[in-house]
Amino acid sequence: MIPIEYFEILPSTQTYLIDKIKKSQLNSPICIVAKIQTKGIGSRGNQWEQVENGLTFSFSFKDSSLPIDLPVQSISIFFGFIFKEILVSMGFDIWLKWPNDLYIGGSKIGGVMVNIVKNHIVCGIGVNIYGKRFASLMVDIPKEKVLRDFFEKIRNTSSWKEIFSKYALEFHKNFKFSFHYENETLDLKGANLMSDGGIELNGKKIYSYR
């Protein structure tokens, strides 16, 4: 189990952890959890709006500790799918929309983002547990157990291939949705998932580094 530091409130677990690693004040592996984020980061750099009850955390690993076959552009898929599996094991019908959004049915309830700082991989995950304005799990979860099980599953996952093979079976769920790429909104219908986690769409190979 990696060390976990809990905070009542932070502007953003992601920016906090990145800053501490850059200043060599924290070292991987480490996890930062905040009950409240005042400036949480959402998709495409937008602010992630706080719900009444959510699980928001960021963690880091040295790149050398991750599976050797893991493509850098698919780290968010790797961590996102493992986190999704933890919630599925608890009875939630969660799936991972390409490349980094957590969904229940047709509604987004969370997301994953990744930054690379020196030789550290810093990943932030947020999931709505309960909120009136946004889609959420609607049932409370034991947060410490979720984190403990999540990091244990990462430790026991030895390859990207293991995760990709399971993610590929669920990829068809993306076909009713779209995603933002550069200045466009592209339909995922007909997208072909490649073995490195990128997609081929309309004859073009597309990768996401979020």
Side-chain angles (χ1 to χ4, degrees), residues 1 4 6 33 53-57 83 86-92 127-130 137-151:
M1 184 66 178
I4 300 178
Y6 291 90
V33 183
N53 187 357
L55 175 57
T56 54
F57 65 102
F83 185 74
I86 297 301
L87 294 181
V88 168
S89 72
M90 299 175 68
F92 296 103
V127 61
N128 297 336
I129 296 173
Y130 178 80
L137 297 177
M138 296 302 293
V139 177
D140 204 2
I141 57 175
K143 297 176 183 178
E144 290 188 18
K145 182 180 187 305
V146 169
L147 292 173
R148 184 170 62 249
D149 291 351
F150 175 55
F151 292 124

Side-chain angles (χ1 to χ4, degrees), residues 95 120 138 141 155:
W95 62 281
H120 302 261
M138 296 302 293
I141 57 175
R155 188 176 69 85

Side-chain angles (χ1 to χ4, degrees), residues 28-64:
S28 298
I30 186 72
C31 176
I32 304 297
V33 183
K35 184 177 181 180
I36 297 173
Q37 289 189 124
T38 58
K39 295 181 180 179
I41 303 172
S43 297
R44 304 183 308 283
N46 296 324
Q47 183 165 333
W48 187 77
E49 296 191 55
Q50 184 76 32
V51 294
E52 288 91 334
N53 187 357
L55 175 57
T56 54
F57 65 102
S58 294
F59 59 94
S60 66
F61 288 102
K62 291 284 185 67
D63 54 9
S64 59

Side-chain angles (χ1 to χ4, degrees), residues 95-98 167 171-177 188:
W95 62 281
L96 181 67
K97 177 180 171 288
W98 191 90
Y167 181 61
F171 186 73
H172 64 91
K173 296 179 180 181
N174 285 273
F175 293 159
K176 295 181 180 179
F177 297 87
L188 279 163

